[in-house]
């Protein structure tokens, strides 16, 4: 299989705090990981693409300093929402792409529901 | 640029009836196309993908989709709906398999008993 674990599944915190979300590929090495944001009753919007050992590529309109992404190893990527505010409340989902040749689809984590009070 | 349009934000079928979820895409290059399913408060599970091989793609849970280039469509079907199929379904397109995905708005499937 290709299992992607995301932690925490849910977090509630006060405005102004920073929140870190982890995305791990449990049984494969992920050369590329993706971070998506999903607003209620809407589709997923890609925030950024991260490749192991290099800086993340952010989509237009996504603040790099607000959403810090680190992909330090082939099995772990983290998203840190800095100085979170209520408008950052959302469902965040990561996905991971297996390394190697050939067609490799993205495998998704179960998401993190972030609520900022 | 690539885009996906899913016709019908909500589809309701009776248990045992045919499921048809529509997806049309726009792409300047030969596309890779995907269908994902999402259950409440969960991530996405890949149902099937088209990667320029056979135009009729069979996926998990009895779903299949047919790539029609002339219609720029990739509709998802299942001959007989089951209660457990109730979920939200997303069609997605990318330039390369596993690369940046562009998602449609999603279709919520309701299955009536």
């Amino acid at each position: 299989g290709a299992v992607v674990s995301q932690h925490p599944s849910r977090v509630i915190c006060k405005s102004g705090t920073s929140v870190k979300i982890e995305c791990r590929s449990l049984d494969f090495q992920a050369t590329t990981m993706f971070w998506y944001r999903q607003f209620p009753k809407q589709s997923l919007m890609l925030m950024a693409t991260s490749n192991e050992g290099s800086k993340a590529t952010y989509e237009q309109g996504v603040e790099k300093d607000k959403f810090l992404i680190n992909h330090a190893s082939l099995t772990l990527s983290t998203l840190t929402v800095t100085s979170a505010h209520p408008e950052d409340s959302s469902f965040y989902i990561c996905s991971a792409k297996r390394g190697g040749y050939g067609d490799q689809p993205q495998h998704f984590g179960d998401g993190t529901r972030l609520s900022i009070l | 640029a690539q885009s996906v349009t899913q016709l019908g934000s909500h589809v309701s079928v009776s248990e045992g009836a045919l499921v048809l979820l529509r997806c049309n895409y726009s792409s300047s290059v030969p596309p890779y196309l995907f269908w994902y399913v999402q259950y409440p408060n969960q991530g996405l599970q890949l149902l099937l993908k088209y990667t320029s091989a056979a135009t009729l793609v069979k996926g998990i849970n009895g779903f299949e989709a047919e790539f029609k280039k002339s219609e720029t469509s990739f509709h998802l079907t299942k001959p007989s709906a089951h209660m457990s199929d109730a979920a939200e379904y997303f069609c997605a397109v990318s330039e390369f398999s596993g690369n940046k995905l562009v998602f449609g708005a999603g279709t919520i499937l309701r299955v009536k008993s």
Side-chain angles (χ1 to χ4, degrees):
Chain A
V3 179
V4 176
S5 173
Q6 198 171 330
H7 178 80
S9 59
R10 186 179 182 95
V11 60
I12 302 172
C13 60
K14 294 180 179 179
S15 183
T17 58
S18 293
V19 178
K20 180 184 283 188
I21 303 170
E22 293 187 347
C23 181
R24 293 180 184 273
S25 56
L26 297 185
D27 55 357
F28 66 99
Q29 293 187 326
T31 55
T32 307
M33 288 186 171
F34 304 84
W35 288 95
Y36 295 85
R37 183 173 181 176
Q38 185 178 29
F39 289 101
K41 302 187 186 303
Q42 294 187 30
S43 188
L44 283 77
M45 300 297 294
L46 179 66
M47 298 174 66
T49 302
S50 73
N51 292 293
E52 185 267 337
S54 62
K55 290 184 178 180
T57 302
Y58 290 79
E59 295 298 303
Q60 191 172 11
V62 178
E63 299 177 58
K64 300 179 184 180
D65 296 333
K66 176 74 170 178
F67 299 100
L68 301 178
I69 292 172
N70 183 278
H71 191 165
S73 77
L74 284 171
T75 60
L76 174 64
S77 176
T78 60
L79 167 67
T80 301
V81 183
T82 61
S83 187
H85 292 284
E87 59 266 28
D88 299 322
S89 298
S90 191
F91 193 54
Y92 293 87
I93 305 177
C94 74
S95 70
K97 174 179 178 291
R98 192 191 301 263
Y101 296 103
D103 297 329
Q104 301 292 344
Q106 294 180 33
H107 301 280
F108 286 80
D110 278 344
T112 296
R113 185 160 300 285
L114 175 62
S115 299
I116 308 298
L117 305 177
Chain B
Q2 297 179 308
S3 65
V4 173
T5 301
Q6 289 184 241
L7 293 175
S9 59
H10 291 77
V11 170
S12 183
V13 301
S14 297
E15 190 173 20
L18 170 72
V19 175
L20 170 61
L21 304 181
R22 299 179 186 275
C23 172
N24 287 89
Y25 70 91
S26 173
S27 177
S28 57
V29 299
Y32 287 80
L33 294 159
F34 307 81
W35 275 101
Y36 286 89
V37 60
Q38 184 181 34
Y39 296 97
N41 294 312
Q42 293 186 25
L44 277 67
Q45 180 182 10
L46 180 65
L47 282 177
L48 49 81
K49 62 177 181 177
Y50 167 76
T51 57
S52 76
T55 56
L56 181 62
V57 182
K58 294 187 182 299
I60 62 172
N61 301 339
F63 285 94
E64 62 182 38
E66 185 173 9
F67 172 70
K68 291 187 177 180
K69 184 178 179 180
S70 61
E71 299 178 6
T72 61
S73 69
F74 190 58
H75 302 330
L76 181 71
T77 60
K78 181 174 180 177
S80 176
H82 191 271
M83 297 297 289
S84 61
D85 295 326
E88 187 161 18
Y89 293 80
F90 291 96
C91 181
V93 63
S94 73
E95 289 185 350
F96 304 100
S97 179
N99 270 28
K100 173 182 173 179
L101 288 168
V102 175
F103 286 90
T107 297
I108 295 174
L109 175 65
R110 178 178 170 232
V111 181
K112 300 175 290 185
S113 58

